Amino acid sequence: MKKKGFIFDLDGVIVDTAKYHYLAWKNLAEELGISFSETQNEQLKGVSRIRSLEKILEWGNLEISQDKFDKLLVEKNEEYLSYIDKMDQNEILPDVVRVLEYLKTQNCGIALGSASKNARIILDKVSLREHFETIIDGTDVTKAKPDPEVFMKGAERLNIAPEHCVVFEDSVAGIQAANAAGMISIGIGDSAILYEADHVFKNFKEMDDQFINQLITTEKV
């Protein structure tokens, strides 16, 4: 049996930092006089910071200078960092550690594949960095999801072929990226939103060891 690789997104899969992104983007949008809803925030999940701000400006039909654009990116990230600075292990989502530890006992490759440039900081805050063989974050890629670059790099660093990899994602863009990479895509969240995934679970508590064993032995078809 081929060794299987498991690639985890960070925000909304391992920890719920999506709520902090939402607060920071909402405050930024309101500063610009643009209304910003949780529905719109869903469209920013898994998307780079630059593209996220571009989308907000498009929604508000607003154009700003490059200097202002760059300044807003810094402001948003500083506010976001002020939230995650207070994070600890209590922020880890249910049963994430159980799944990570089980995969390790099965000799699976484990990687992180996130658009966040703060991924390593967050993993340190919640004491999970040691669970990952490799980390691919926003500092390692040039193309945002739904481009599969982040997951292809994860597979490459694990030295495991893409068709032998499984991706856990909470965003539409992330699921599309996993599918584009030819990997098994597992949605974590709402099945009505993540319907393009091969399988969807509300959270890891719904995912038993039997299902994980199936992932370890199943190929993408």
Side-chain angles (χ1 to χ4, degrees):
M1 186 177 68
K2 301 279 187 181
K3 182 176 180 179
K4 292 300 279 283
F6 288 80
I7 306 176
F8 291 74
D9 179 40
L10 178 65
D11 300 339
V13 173
I14 292 174
V15 289
D16 185 17
T17 47
K19 61 190 176 187
Y20 301 136
H21 282 297
Y22 172 64
L23 287 171
W25 282 129
K26 184 175 175 63
N27 289 338
L28 181 149
E30 289 178 349
E31 179 184 325
L32 295 170
I34 301 172
S35 61
F36 183 71
S37 67
E38 290 190 49
T39 302
Q40 288 170 313
N41 190 59
E42 283 291 326
Q43 297 182 48
L44 304 186
K45 287 184 176 179
V47 177
S48 70
R49 197 183 312 158
I50 290 172
R51 182 59 190 139
S52 292
L53 180 50
E54 287 174 347
K55 287 176 77 72
I56 289 172
L57 293 172
E58 288 167 8
W59 291 330
N61 194 27
L62 185 66
E63 292 185 7
I64 59 176
S65 68
Q66 187 62 48
D67 286 347
K68 176 71 170 176
F69 188 95
D70 295 341
K71 181 171 177 287
L72 288 174
L73 287 179
V74 172
E75 286 180 6
K76 185 271 173 182
N77 195 50
E78 287 177 347
E79 180 174 353
Y80 174 69
L81 287 173
S82 74
Y83 295 132
I84 67 173
D85 188 54
K86 302 177 180 66
M87 292 179 72
D88 57 26
Q89 288 172 289
N90 292 319
E91 298 267 4
I92 302 171
L93 291 170
D95 274 25
V96 167
V97 174
R98 173 184 66 83
V99 172
L100 287 169
E101 291 181 346
Y102 184 76
L103 291 174
K104 189 172 184 179
T105 67
Q106 302 304 303
N107 193 35
C108 296
I110 304 173
L112 187 92
S114 171
S116 173
K117 292 184 177 180
N118 302 303
R120 289 172 173 81
I121 296 172
I122 294 170
L123 288 178
D124 286 339
K125 286 287 182 182
V126 300
S127 303
L128 281 183
R129 194 199 275 235
E130 65 182 19
H131 287 75
F132 296 91
E133 291 177 44
T134 187
I135 297 168
I136 315 295
D137 67 9
T139 64
D140 300 304
V141 295
T142 58
K143 300 172 185 173
K145 303 169 189 175
D147 188 278
E149 182 187 15
V150 65
F151 297 139
M152 295 299 286
K153 283 200 171 186
E156 182 183 356
R157 288 200 194 167
L158 290 173
N159 198 28
I160 297 174
E163 62 267 27
H164 300 306
C165 290
V166 178
V167 171
F168 297 106
E169 260 287 354
D170 76 316
S171 72
V172 173
I175 294 298
Q176 291 171 342
N179 291 339
M183 302 177 179
I184 295 175
S185 55
I186 310 295
I188 304 296
D190 188 342
S191 59
I193 296 172
L194 305 175
Y195 59 86
E196 294 178 63
D198 293 315
H199 307 274
V200 182
F201 294 86
K202 186 176 180 181
N203 53 48
F204 284 104
K205 290 180 74 173
E206 293 187 351
M207 195 181 303
D208 58 23
D209 291 350
Q210 182 179 353
F211 177 76
I212 296 172
N213 287 333
Q214 289 176 359
L215 292 176
I216 293 171
T217 58
T218 301
E219 301 298 320
K220 176 80 172 181
V221 294

